[in-house]
Amino acid sequence: MAELITYREAVARALAQEMERDETVYFIGEDVAAAGGVFKTTTGLLERFGPRRVRDTPISEEAIIGAAMGAAMNGLRPVAEIMFSDFLATCWDMIANQVAKTRYMTDGQVELPLVIRTANGAGVRFGAQHSQSVENWAMSVPGLKVVAPSTPRDVIELMAASIRDPDPVVFFEHKALFPTKGPVPDGELVGELGKAAIVRSGADLTIVALAAMVPRAVAAAEDLARRGVEATVVDLRCLVPLDTRTLLAACSQTGRVFTVEENPRLCGWGAEVASIVMEEAFFDLDQPVIRITTDHIPLPSADCLEDATIPSVSRIVEVVEKTLD
Amino acid sequence: MAELITYREAVARALAQEMERDETVYFIGEDVAAAGGVFKTTTGLLERFGPRRVRDTPISEEAIIGAAMGAAMNGLRPVAEIMFSDFLATCWDMIANQVAKTRYMTDGQVELPLVIRTANGAGVRFGAQHSQSVENWAMSVPGLKVVAPSTPRDVIELMAASIRDPDPVVFFEHKALFPTKGPVPDGELVGELGKAAIVRSGADLTIVALAAMVPRAVAAAEDLARRGVEATVVDLRCLVPLDTRTLLAACSQTGRVFTVEENPRLCGWGAEVASIVMEEAFFDLDQPVIRITTDHIPLPSADCLEDATIPSVSRIVEVVEKTLD
Amino acid sequence: MPTSTEGTTHGRGEADLDQRIDLYRMMVEARVFEELAYRMFVAGLVKGTSHLAIGQEAIAAAFAAAMRPDDLTFCTYRGHNHTLLRGAPPSRLMAELFGRGSGICGGKGGSMHLTDASAGAMGSYAIVGAHMPIAVGAAWAAMERGTGQTAVCFFGDGATNIGAFHEALNMAAVWSVPAVFVCENNQYMEYTPIRSVTAVENPAADRAQAYGLDSVLVDGNDADEMFHTARSAIDKARAGGGPSLIEASTYRHGGHSRADPGTYRPDDEVADWKARDPIPAYRERLLAAGVEAQRLAEIEAAVDRTMHEAVEEAKAAPLPPTSAIGTNLWADGGSAWRN
Amino acid sequence: MPTSTEGTTHGRGEADLDQRIDLYRMMVEARVFEELAYRMFVAGLVKGTSHLAIGQEAIAAAFAAAMRPDDLTFCTYRGHNHTLLRGAPPSRLMAELFGRGSGICGGKGGSMHLTDASAGAMGSYAIVGAHMPIAVGAAWAAMERGTGQTAVCFFGDGATNIGAFHEALNMAAVWSVPAVFVCENNQYMEYTPIRSVTAVENPAADRAQAYGLDSVLVDGNDADEMFHTARSAIDKARAGGGPSLIEASTYRHGGHSRADPGTYRPDDEVADWKARDPIPAYRERLLAAGVEAQRLAEIEAAVDRTMHEAVEEAKAAPLPPTSAIGTNLWADGGSAWRN
Ligand SMILES: Cc1ncc(C[n+]2csc(CCOP(=O)(O)OP(=O)(O)O)c2C)c(N)n1
Ligand SMILES: Cc1ncc(C[n+]2csc(CCOP(=O)(O)OP(=O)(O)O)c2C)c(N)n1
Ligand SMILES: [Mg+2]
Ligand SMILES: [Mg+2]
């Protein structure tokens, strides 16, 4: 039987499932142990697995990632939390230059089974330094796997898959989704990286979305359905590996493709997806791929401004409808 | 009259021109003063402008960018060197979260006239941590202007424009171009940011390139010309602001567009350019935009492997020809 | 550094008493402003988050009093008091917390990014440690331009373990810039006691020698001691004596942010520190020094009035227009990335 | 820490003499390997760049001798000697410098990224300071898994001013991991004297207290002193005594990298340090200790032979196949980012 749990609860459940299964899984981060995380996503782990496997760190992001990397080289499977994805910038060298490149530079001598968890995205009025969507930063660096789930079930299944994966994974949890609920079956759950989900099927157009933009894309699709337009919604779930099979099939079928991206416009994941789709399904398309993105600006903190900056259900519907007539 | 100087000499000449003109222009970086820079791009500046305005720093990239930012807030126009663009990762927070966002977050109260110079790109067998092309990192962050010249003259004109620009500019100099020569007229030179150059005109197809890929695109175009195919070559020169007018005009005219990118494939500047061109010139295109990029891997150091990874003249020609028949 | 502040305040004469009364007023301003901000938060008017410094006012007041108008302040997301006491208008500060168009940053910054460049409040930075190198640069420019300005940089105990702290202090010392680095050691990061993640007992003071600086540890809840410390460090910097690193021990009465009840702190610890609240203690001291209760009561009433008016003004302020989204990314006033 | 090494080496008996002869052999191996590497560079066979540690061999040799086979070494782009002396095959090291397929990293790493995981040489890192937190993690894992391993991390004087140094040492101390941090202070960054950009005289030793560690300053050109220092720090770490920070003063005889003639260094300074070359000095000491010249000559000849053979092997090695570009990004052996 399946119960309804929150995206927030799913994080702790996923970590607990894997730490229970494999004693080499360790978890470190700022305020993650005694406090259970500033987003309360890791509540109970300290009590259950003790202060050695669940450890509070200093405010030292480079040391957090470095420690995870070194530990992964020497027999642990660390999960490291970077509290807000904006702070990936403070340890970007460790992630983009060390973690991502070491297996390749050593021609496979060094294995790095580690997961970097981070709270990504906007919607909570934290302003420009605590609200970014930076999954495209990770996507642009060869050697990183990139995951960004949109449902509690995907959080568990993809976190388990990420922890079991022998390669480094950057796992983006979306702040705005923490309170959202979804059904989750009992028992051990393990998913597979690199598989997109067809969340909704419709013959008229295809909306490709990620993380918090998925529920918005679905809401827009339902709105459009009421107007007689049927949309397919693809939840990419992983940016690397990218499920181009599912993506291209869904796009070719409808010939009308839209991306809905929370990242600022330039060089977002949607630019890559649009380029791939147009290059490989060019003659199946009735119109160019249209990207619906956050404006190319830092995020303003005022609620009314933040709401107007990120793609909204109504903006998605508007853009789609404009192309239909 | 114009003389031939190297891209390397152009850097020092540009800095000298601006430091001569404006005493608030200061220059800092590692080994830039007494040693004249590890690439010898700043030779003579210490002797000419003295140890206060040309200053060696500790190996502290965050402090280098932070110092430049704080100084820009308080009346100087600093130029900060980050020796290799790979090291932008070690101060990415200062660049992407502080420098890029501060004017916007303060609603225009704080002006940041500063230039971050860095040696970008491959071709010198330095391996994965000293050879990256990361101009797309900067392009993806709102609030940064992004420049990457391909000729000595552009180095001078765009450096002068960058130093005089009231906004932060990340200025990518290409390692492999330092020894290359080009004609440079006498006297003060000042260019304009956000203007692409049509390096070559041809009716059959358009190749869009940047920095070290420009000479390769031109060589490929000449090779193609010998086979009766005439290519237009666009040198973007700036990624932000992006000269979409010139770009779209050049692409619409030929209907066949190729990008040549040194950055790894995913989310490169070419993905953005391809998406824009396909979205805005879709019905002028005879075929999808095709991106010719470095593979999506860290750069190997062995010369034969590095050469085979980065787009070469022959690979450009091959890819183009395949689409013609 | 002075251990007994009476020693330093005596012999400074009447002017000092006025200065001390001013210090008191500033502490009360910060306290009332933040208490109202908290109430507005509970009332749902303050959006996002907010980090109060209630209990830490003596540090902000002392430095604001010791600084010259053209000196530059760099602080953190816990920066309401620093920004206010440098002279930012309370109504526009409150409006910024409310996300209104009249906010000090037009609603784009929010509680964590208060900036009033015209008052020398050069920003609240929300990424731990990042503003420390920036303060070095501002001080460096002051030195090179000979403006006589100093830069004062406030940061928390937790910031002492991040790389930017190390890089900034080394560069500041090597370049001998006129900067004062002030660690407001309130004993905790967000929820984690600083002791549990730091290799030394005094996270800033015990590291001063690593930068060739004197180790300065002061009672951050004693406004007189703070003022004296601030003044000597600023004077030293202005005189070309180079940077200082000051650790001021203090405590925040509430949680880390609005989301935090602060339950991880032992009750008696909280009680002890609340008993050392800098404001009533200073009030007593002023009365003992012969200031009339009447005068202090008038100050309190005036501050209360001003701050309540500020709140009303902020409540009445309009939301920013949606068009504001596209303004002030660039110096040309816009945000275009293409032609 | 010992100031006189004779004191420590006496009384260790015959076994020690053998150990010391071994130390000598290792220093000679490193020296001959790097001299050949330099010649191959001039001959155009070594691609890219290379950073020689000629003059610094005593440090690498002493630690390699003091480490257990399963201990882990982390070093910098100036890491030929550390990688070689942990046991990496010289022919495959040289092949890596040549960019050959038989190179220790298949030609993908190059001079700055030598790694031989099977020998515990966990990598040469080309971004200053980055490997220090990584070494903390490796030591932390050893502690948690109870393997008894230690991690030894070598870095330069210039690395002491970057943030990662600070973060790594604080975390190492707080978690009390079995790690030894060794600053090879060769007095210069690339071309800039470390003194000119550092707030303290001894960039590492003068900062040890900031992490609650002992200040350890040793003569990096004295192999006996280095060995003793290395052994005590490693023993301490292995015994659960936590990390150490060691500053070893030394000098590189040549420039920073192949591109650098090193002209920025005063001639007499270079001459003084060359007079303190660790290898001839140690040879004298061994002879004085009664080792027969014959025995040392045989060692030198053998090393010379091995290294020249290594060069010939490397010269004969094939280039990597172009297909290697796409291998070993992921654990599945490939580099696919899509299905
Ligand atoms: C680089 C970075 N890491 C983590 C955070 C999240 N964070 C915000 S405040 C805080 C605690 C800071 O503690 P301290 O420096 O003592 O300042 P205080 O909040 O006590 O004033 C943390 C970890 C951040 N903003 N920046
Ligand atoms: C973060 C970073 N900044 C700059 C460089 C460029 N660089 C390479 S070696 C070097 C000097 C390092 O000096 P030191 O730490 O003393 O080591 P040494 O070369 O003397 O062994 C510099 C600045 C780098 N590799 N990484
Ligand atoms: Mg604190
Ligand atoms: Mg050195």
Side-chain angles (χ1 to χ4, degrees):
Chain A
M1 55 148 280
E3 59 168 334
L4 280 183
I5 72 169
T6 62
Y7 189 101
R8 173 181 281 110
E9 292 160 342
V11 174
R13 177 163 154 189
L15 290 169
Q17 172 185 298
E18 295 306 298
M19 293 183 80
E20 192 60 62
R21 181 187 61 81
D22 178 352
E23 64 178 11
T24 68
V25 177
Y26 275 60
F27 175 49
I28 61 173
E30 294 161 13
D31 305 295
V32 298
V38 302
F39 295 105
K40 298 284 169 282
T41 46
T42 58
T43 316
L45 294 178
L46 171 67
E47 295 67 17
R48 188 157 163 198
F49 300 102
R52 301 199 73 88
R53 289 181 65 194
V54 180
R55 187 152 207 168
D56 286 319
T57 67
I59 304 173
S60 308
E61 277 74 10
E62 289 188 282
I64 290 168
I65 301 302
M69 175 173 168
M73 284 182 168
N74 196 22
L76 297 186
R77 296 183 93 83
V79 177
E81 174 175 311
I82 297 298
M83 197 185 283
F84 286 73
S85 63
D86 312 72
F87 313 157
L88 294 178
T90 65
C91 48
W92 195 236
D93 174 61
M94 300 307 303
I95 296 171
N97 289 335
Q98 313 305 331
V99 168
K101 295 175 170 49
T102 294
R103 169 180 280 274
Y104 188 81
M105 288 195 300
T106 62
D107 203 24
Q109 291 182 69
V110 173
E111 181 141 304
L112 295 177
L114 68 92
V115 176
I116 299 167
R117 288 181 50 235
T118 190
N120 195 48
V124 286
R125 293 76 171 89
F126 279 2
Q129 293 184 338
H130 281 67
S131 305
Q132 295 171 85
S133 289
V134 299
E135 56 272 30
N136 57 324
W137 292 6
M139 186 182 192
S140 71
V141 176
L144 300 174
K145 293 180 177 175
V146 184
V147 181
S150 70
T151 70
R153 181 175 182 156
D154 282 348
V155 166
I156 299 174
E157 294 187 339
L158 297 177
M159 178 78 75
S162 299
I163 290 172
R164 298 180 192 197
D165 196 275
D167 294 313
V169 177
V170 186
F171 194 93
F172 291 93
E173 298 160 15
H174 200 292
K175 282 182 215 81
L177 294 177
F178 284 136
T180 61
K181 291 193 160 185
V184 171
D186 295 345
E188 182 181 82
L189 296 176
V190 189
E192 194 181 343
L193 301 186
K195 293 268 166 282
I198 303 292
V199 181
R200 186 183 193 285
S201 292
D204 301 326
L205 58 100
T206 302
I207 305 177
V208 185
L210 188 74
M213 295 298 102
V214 173
R216 293 189 185 195
V218 170
E222 282 159 2
D223 194 338
L224 288 162
R226 282 189 286 278
R227 307 163 191 224
V229 180
E230 289 301 336
T232 291
V233 176
V234 179
D235 178 354
L236 288 175
R237 298 199 288 199
C238 292
L239 295 176
V240 180
L242 186 66
D243 184 359
T244 49
R245 284 220 197 94
T246 303
L247 174 70
L248 289 164
C251 295
S252 299
Q253 274 160 23
T254 66
R256 284 201 175 77
V257 182
F258 301 82
T259 68
V260 184
E261 306 163 59
E262 190 173 326
N263 51 231
R265 186 167 186 85
L266 300 188
C267 299
W269 60 261
E272 185 59 42
V273 163
S275 300
I276 292 169
V277 170
M278 288 195 271
E279 179 166 348
E280 301 181 30
F282 192 69
F283 298 102
D284 298 334
L285 297 179
D286 307 319
Q287 63 180 43
V289 176
I290 291 171
R291 293 176 296 153
I292 302 165
T293 75
T294 293
D295 299 340
H296 202 63
I297 53 169
L299 281 165
S301 93
D303 48 354
C304 61
L305 297 181
E306 188 183 42
D307 289 340
T309 306
I310 298 159
S312 63
V313 173
S314 57
R315 194 165 125 214
I316 299 167
V317 171
E318 258 169 51
V319 173
V320 169
E321 287 198 313
K322 226 189 291 98
T323 68
L324 294 180
D325 33 66
Chain B
M1 52 146 283
E3 58 167 336
L4 280 183
I5 71 170
T6 62
Y7 189 100
R8 171 182 283 111
E9 291 160 342
V11 174
R13 176 160 156 194
L15 290 168
Q17 171 185 300
E18 294 306 298
M19 292 183 81
E20 194 60 60
R21 182 187 60 82
D22 179 351
E23 65 178 10
T24 67
V25 177
Y26 275 60
F27 175 48
I28 60 172
E30 295 161 12
D31 305 294
V32 298
V38 302
F39 295 105
K40 297 284 169 279
T41 46
T42 59
T43 316
L45 295 177
L46 171 67
E47 294 69 16
R48 186 153 165 202
F49 300 103
R52 301 200 72 88
R53 290 180 65 194
V54 180
R55 190 153 203 166
D56 286 319
T57 67
I59 304 172
S60 307
E61 277 73 10
E62 289 188 282
I64 290 168
I65 301 301
M69 175 173 169
M73 284 181 167
N74 196 23
L76 297 186
R77 298 183 92 83
V79 177
E81 173 174 312
I82 297 298
M83 196 184 287
F84 287 72
S85 63
D86 312 71
F87 313 157
L88 294 177
T90 66
C91 49
W92 196 236
D93 174 61
M94 299 308 301
I95 297 171
N97 289 335
Q98 313 304 332
V99 168
K101 293 175 171 50
T102 293
R103 169 180 280 274
Y104 188 81
M105 289 195 299
T106 63
D107 203 24
Q109 291 181 72
V110 173
E111 182 142 304
L112 295 176
L114 68 92
V115 175
I116 299 168
R117 287 181 52 234
T118 190
N120 196 47
V124 286
R125 295 74 170 91
F126 279 2
Q129 293 185 338
H130 282 68
S131 306
Q132 295 172 85
S133 288
V134 299
E135 56 272 31
N136 58 323
W137 293 6
M139 187 182 192
S140 71
V141 176
L144 300 174
K145 293 180 177 174
V146 184
V147 181
S150 69
T151 69
R153 182 176 181 154
D154 282 349
V155 166
I156 298 173
E157 295 188 339
L158 296 177
M159 179 76 76
S162 299
I163 290 172
R164 298 180 192 198
D165 196 276
D167 295 312
V169 177
V170 187
F171 194 93
F172 291 94
E173 297 160 14
H174 200 291
K175 281 182 218 83
L177 294 176
F178 283 136
T180 62
K181 290 193 161 190
V184 172
D186 294 345
E188 182 182 83
L189 296 176
V190 189
E192 195 182 342
L193 301 186
K195 293 270 167 282
I198 304 292
V199 181
R200 187 184 191 286
S201 292
D204 301 326
L205 58 99
T206 303
I207 305 177
V208 184
L210 189 74
M213 295 299 102
V214 172
R216 295 191 184 193
V218 170
E222 282 158 2
D223 194 341
L224 287 163
R226 283 188 286 278
R227 306 164 194 225
V229 180
E230 287 301 335
T232 292
V233 176
V234 179
D235 177 354
L236 288 175
R237 299 198 288 198
C238 291
L239 295 176
V240 180
L242 186 66
D243 183 359
T244 49
R245 287 221 195 93
T246 304
L247 173 70
L248 288 165
C251 296
S252 299
Q253 275 160 21
T254 66
R256 285 202 171 75
V257 182
F258 302 81
T259 68
V260 183
E261 305 164 59
E262 189 172 327
N263 52 230
R265 187 168 186 83
L266 300 187
C267 299
W269 60 260
E272 184 59 43
V273 163
S275 300
I276 291 168
V277 170
M278 289 196 271
E279 179 165 348
E280 302 182 28
F282 190 70
F283 298 102
D284 298 333
L285 297 179
D286 306 321
Q287 61 180 44
V289 176
I290 291 169
R291 294 176 295 152
I292 302 165
T293 74
T294 293
D295 299 343
H296 202 63
I297 53 170
L299 281 165
S301 89
D303 48 355
C304 61
L305 297 181
E306 188 183 43
D307 289 339
T309 305
I310 298 160
S312 62
V313 173
S314 58
R315 194 165 124 213
I316 299 167
V317 171
E318 258 170 49
V319 173
V320 169
E321 287 200 312
K322 227 193 285 98
T323 68
L324 294 180
D325 33 66
Chain C
M1 305 312 305
T3 48
S4 143
T5 52
E6 288 319 312
T8 62
T9 48
H10 280 319
R12 279 209 243 119
E14 205 30 55
D16 280 11
L17 194 55
D18 286 344
Q19 250 170 345
R20 295 173 72 195
I21 291 166
D22 218 45
L23 267 179
Y24 179 73
R25 181 186 48 71
M26 289 195 278
M27 290 196 285
V28 173
E29 282 175 353
R31 176 68 55 95
V32 175
F33 180 88
E34 290 213 301
E35 279 171 349
L36 284 170
Y38 182 74
R39 271 162 53 189
M40 295 306 110
F41 217 122
V42 176
L45 278 158
V46 175
K47 303 303 173 14
T49 181
S50 106
H51 304 76
L52 304 178
I54 290 176
Q56 307 182 195
E57 294 88 350
I59 301 166
F63 272 91
M67 286 168 85
R68 211 167 77 175
D70 63 344
D71 286 335
L72 303 173
T73 295
F74 294 83
C75 60
T76 74
Y77 48 86
R78 197 181 303 286
H80 299 164
N81 52 7
H82 295 294
T83 315
L84 175 72
L85 298 184
R86 283 309 307 282
S91 59
R92 296 192 55 213
L93 280 183
M94 195 61 79
E96 187 63 33
L97 304 194
F98 290 7
R100 302 302 170 93
S102 64
I104 200 100
C105 299
K108 289 175 178 170
S111 164
M112 294 203 287
H113 297 290
L114 302 176
T115 301
D116 185 349
S118 65
M122 300 310 288
S124 322
Y125 297 76
I127 295 190
V128 167
H131 60 315
M132 300 183 70
I134 300 169
V136 172
W140 172 54
M143 180 171 80
E144 293 301 321
R145 293 174 51 232
T147 62
Q149 299 161 289
T150 66
V152 180
C153 180
F154 301 92
F155 57 96
D157 42 281
T160 61
N161 292 325
I162 198 159
F165 165 91
H166 181 67
E167 295 190 13
L169 283 160
N170 182 66
M171 187 181 278
V174 172
W175 291 8
S176 190
V177 301
V180 181
F181 294 93
V182 185
C183 176
E184 299 186 59
N185 182 356
N186 61 11
Q187 322 302 324
Y188 288 84
M189 292 151 53
E190 291 206 17
Y191 313 125
T192 304
I194 189 65
R195 291 246 167 100
S196 67
V197 295
T198 311
V200 289
E201 190 186 350
N202 305 298
D206 293 349
R207 285 158 168 173
Q209 286 151 304
Y211 312 106
L213 302 173
D214 298 336
S215 176
V216 180
L217 191 57
V218 293
D219 176 355
N221 283 14
D222 182 326
D224 287 320
E225 184 176 354
M226 277 316 304
F227 178 74
H228 187 82
T229 306
R231 210 176 45 176
S232 13
I234 290 170
D235 290 350
K236 180 184 169 205
R238 218 186 296 288
S244 299
L245 174 60
I246 295 162
E247 177 172 334
S249 54
T250 184
Y251 204 76
R252 52 170 154 80
H253 289 180
H256 166 73
S257 68
R258 62 77 65 106
D260 167 30
T263 48
Y264 45 88
R265 305 185 305 180
D267 295 346
D268 55 350
E269 178 186 288
V270 178
D272 289 353
W273 278 98
K274 283 194 172 164
R276 298 180 43 205
D277 185 331
I279 297 178
Y282 202 63
R283 192 178 205 283
E284 288 315 311
R285 204 184 279 173
L286 289 180
L287 293 174
V291 182
E292 283 166 10
Q294 173 65 8
R295 187 164 172 194
L296 298 181
E298 281 162 9
I299 288 172
E300 290 150 9
V303 168
D304 211 61
R305 217 169 25 251
T306 319
M307 295 305 164
H308 277 85
E309 284 164 12
V311 169
E312 293 316 311
E313 256 187 73
K315 281 182 180 167
L319 295 176
T322 304
S323 61
I325 287 170
T327 63
N328 289 325
L329 178 62
W330 305 127
D332 67 9
S335 59
W337 52 269
R338 62 181 288 179
N339 59 3
Chain D
M1 305 313 306
T3 48
S4 142
T5 51
E6 286 321 312
T8 62
T9 46
H10 280 321
R12 281 212 240 116
E14 206 29 56
D16 279 14
L17 193 56
D18 286 343
Q19 249 169 347
R20 296 173 72 193
I21 291 167
D22 219 45
L23 266 179
Y24 178 72
R25 182 187 47 73
M26 288 195 277
M27 288 196 285
V28 175
E29 282 175 352
R31 175 70 54 97
V32 175
F33 180 87
E34 291 214 299
E35 280 171 347
L36 284 170
Y38 182 74
R39 271 161 53 189
M40 294 307 110
F41 217 118
V42 176
L45 277 159
V46 174
K47 302 303 172 12
T49 182
S50 103
H51 304 76
L52 304 178
I54 290 176
Q56 307 183 195
E57 293 88 350
I59 301 165
F63 272 91
M67 286 169 84
R68 210 167 77 176
D70 64 343
D71 287 335
L72 303 173
T73 294
F74 294 84
C75 60
T76 74
Y77 48 86
R78 197 179 304 285
H80 299 164
N81 52 7
H82 296 295
T83 314
L84 175 72
L85 298 185
R86 283 308 309 282
S91 60
R92 297 192 54 213
L93 280 183
M94 195 59 78
E96 188 63 32
L97 304 193
F98 290 6
R100 303 302 170 94
S102 64
I104 201 98
C105 299
K108 288 175 177 171
S111 165
M112 294 202 287
H113 297 291
L114 302 176
T115 300
D116 184 350
S118 66
M122 301 309 288
S124 322
Y125 296 78
I127 295 190
V128 167
H131 61 314
M132 299 183 69
I134 299 169
V136 172
W140 171 53
M143 179 172 81
E144 293 302 320
R145 293 173 52 230
T147 62
Q149 299 161 289
T150 67
V152 180
C153 180
F154 302 92
F155 56 97
D157 43 280
T160 61
N161 291 325
I162 199 160
F165 166 91
H166 181 67
E167 295 190 11
L169 283 161
N170 182 65
M171 187 180 277
V174 172
W175 290 8
S176 191
V177 300
V180 180
F181 294 94
V182 186
C183 177
E184 299 186 60
N185 183 355
N186 60 12
Q187 322 303 325
Y188 287 84
M189 294 151 54
E190 291 205 19
Y191 312 125
T192 304
I194 189 64
R195 289 245 167 98
S196 68
V197 295
T198 310
V200 289
E201 190 187 348
N202 304 299
D206 293 349
R207 285 158 167 173
Q209 284 153 308
Y211 312 106
L213 302 174
D214 297 336
S215 177
V216 181
L217 191 57
V218 292
D219 177 354
N221 284 15
D222 181 327
D224 286 321
E225 183 175 354
M226 277 315 305
F227 178 74
H228 188 84
T229 306
R231 209 176 49 176
S232 17
I234 289 170
D235 289 350
K236 179 184 169 203
R238 217 185 298 286
S244 299
L245 173 61
I246 294 162
E247 178 172 335
S249 54
T250 184
Y251 203 76
R252 52 169 155 81
H253 289 181
H256 167 74
S257 68
R258 60 77 66 109
D260 168 30
T263 50
Y264 45 87
R265 305 185 304 181
D267 295 345
D268 56 348
E269 179 186 284
V270 178
D272 288 354
W273 277 99
K274 283 193 173 167
R276 295 180 44 205
D277 187 329
I279 297 178
Y282 203 61
R283 193 178 204 284
E284 288 315 309
R285 204 184 278 174
L286 289 181
L287 293 173
V291 181
E292 282 163 10
Q294 173 65 7
R295 185 162 172 197
L296 299 182
E298 281 164 8
I299 288 173
E300 291 150 9
V303 168
D304 211 60
R305 218 170 22 250
T306 318
M307 294 306 163
H308 277 85
E309 282 164 13
V311 170
E312 293 315 310
E313 258 188 71
K315 282 183 180 167
L319 295 176
T322 305
S323 61
I325 287 170
T327 64
N328 289 324
L329 178 62
W330 306 125
D332 67 10
S335 59
W337 53 268
R338 63 181 290 178
N339 59 3

